[in-house]
Amino acid sequence: MGESIDSPDEAQIRQTLTELEKADGEHTDVSLGHESGWTLSVFREKRLLWENVEDPEVSPREATLDSWDDVVDLLLKLSRGDIGAVDAFSWNF
């Protein structure tokens, strides 16, 4: 609900994802941003939105994952700066 954590580890990511249980009309997601402009947003139903908020030429991509472990894995990759691994994920266009 507006809190920010720099370079979260796995435990912090999992704790933050529990906040989705309290999602409401105003706070619908949790997100992790990278200094490059890439942001990964996660919604309650394990739906992800991958977008570069600094480059309007890049189309946002979406996916819905089956497990929270998979969500955590992608968030960890982004928190470690592995943009290529997140970008190479099988996104729906």
Side-chain angles (χ1 to χ4, degrees):
M1 304 295 176
E3 184 178 344
S4 181
I5 302 169
D6 290 331
S7 302
D9 61 21
E10 182 175 351
Q12 290 169 312
I13 288 172
R14 288 185 184 281
Q15 176 61 38
T16 301
L17 289 173
T18 65
E19 294 295 318
L20 289 173
E21 295 171 7
K22 300 180 236 174
D24 58 27
E26 186 177 342
H27 304 95
T28 60
D29 65 286
V30 297
S31 61
L32 179 63
H34 186 266
E35 61 193 22
S36 64
W38 285 102
T39 300
L40 184 58
S41 300
V42 182
F43 299 83
R44 176 184 268 174
E45 60 280 355
K46 297 186 274 308
R47 184 174 61 87
L48 305 178
L49 177 63
W50 175 239
E51 61 186 334
N52 191 316
V53 296
E54 294 182 10
D55 188 350
E57 300 292 318
V58 177
S59 297
R61 294 167 237 175
E62 295 185 27
T64 301
L65 301 185
D66 293 327
S67 78
W68 286 110
D69 288 335
D70 292 340
V71 172
V72 169
D73 183 54
L74 280 177
L75 287 167
L76 277 172
K77 287 176 181 171
L78 180 57
S79 75
R80 294 175 181 142
D82 195 350
I83 304 296
V86 180
D87 202 46
F89 179 76
S90 297
W91 298 101
N92 301 326
F93 291 90

